[in-house]
Amino acid sequence: LGNANFEFAYKGKVYLFDAYFDRTPRAHNIGFTAKDIKKAEAVFVSHAHFDHISDIGTVAQQTGAPVIGAPISAEVAKKLGVPEKQIVVAKGGETMKFGDATMEIALAQHSTIQAGLTDIYASLYNNDSPPFTDEEKKELARVRSLGSFDPKIITEGTLAYGFTLPSGFKAVLIGSAGPITPGVRALAEKLGPVDVAIVAYQ
């Protein structure tokens, strides 16, 4: 799963976090595809990189659910076919209600990788794996195109979510491993102890 695609279900209502179901070549098959997603009360997007948002158009159209995300995520969602009336823009600091769930939203920060490290990882991968076929290259490029690489995602486009149900169950979801921001600290103070923390690390 990586740090995308989590689902909470409560009394028949489904809440989705991110939409990256149809994966790149050689990624593990997660057992279903975007076309299998038929029901959601809301979809919360961590940020607009392809591995968090690529299937948002399909999911939004099939479920009719609102899609919540930062302004950059909203722009990408629109390009991927999410109807404008389903897009909810958040910048951090909001409290929103969807079905039975109350959502506290914070501006987080995306992780960064120090210069040169990506090239080293790619070199290690190439030493260990056969080259991509032309078909695999094409599919990789297609999936990667279903997102943004805008550098503003790092500081302006990554959200953390605090999820509370009427039962008192609480969860926090932080979809990237950047530094803890003032927004995330405020979210932690507001939520107090939580039952589940889904936190990316690097």
Side-chain angles (χ1 to χ4, degrees):
L1 282 175
N3 55 308
N5 289 15
F6 293 94
E7 172 186 311
F8 288 91
Y10 178 78
K11 294 190 174 179
K13 293 186 172 74
V14 173
Y15 305 89
L16 299 177
F17 295 87
D18 290 336
Y20 172 50
F21 300 102
D22 299 346
R23 306 243 162 149
T24 55
R26 303 188 186 178
H28 291 289
N29 184 331
I30 62 173
F32 55 93
T33 69
K35 287 182 180 170
D36 297 319
I37 310 298
K38 304 290 187 195
K39 181 177 182 178
E41 199 70 20
V43 187
F44 303 94
V45 176
S46 165
H47 58 280
H49 288 151
F50 74 91
D51 55 348
H52 291 260
I53 203 173
S54 60
D55 292 311
I56 199 68
T58 302
V59 171
Q61 289 170 24
Q62 289 174 177
T63 63
V67 171
I68 300 87
I72 298 170
S73 299
E75 288 170 26
V76 173
K78 207 180 298 181
K79 286 178 190 164
L80 295 179
V82 177
E84 199 156 348
K85 64 182 180 182
Q86 286 174 240
I87 295 173
V88 179
V89 176
K91 295 182 178 180
E94 299 90 350
T95 300
M96 298 181 180
K97 183 119 175 147
F98 299 93
D100 295 316
T102 301
M103 191 63 64
E104 308 285 350
I105 304 172
L107 180 63
Q109 187 169 326
H110 198 279
S111 61
T112 54
I113 297 175
Q114 65 197 80
L117 206 50
T118 303
D119 294 336
I120 292 169
Y121 287 152
S123 174
L124 290 170
Y125 183 85
N126 290 336
N127 283 337
D128 196 44
S129 304
F132 279 100
T133 65
D134 288 343
E135 193 174 302
E136 285 175 325
K137 284 179 192 171
K138 190 175 173 184
E139 179 61 7
L140 180 61
R142 185 193 73 79
V143 175
R144 286 173 63 89
S145 74
L146 301 174
S148 172
F149 291 94
D150 188 324
K152 288 191 290 188
I153 289 172
I154 295 167
T155 53
E156 298 174 30
T158 301
L159 298 177
Y161 296 100
F163 177 78
T164 304
L165 291 170
S167 63
F169 173 91
K170 292 181 189 176
V172 65
L173 295 99
I174 303 176
S176 187
I180 295 172
T181 62
V184 171
R185 287 188 190 282
L187 177 65
E189 287 169 14
K190 197 167 192 179
L191 287 175
V194 299
D195 298 283
V196 174
I198 298 174
V199 181
Y201 70 94
Q202 175 176 304

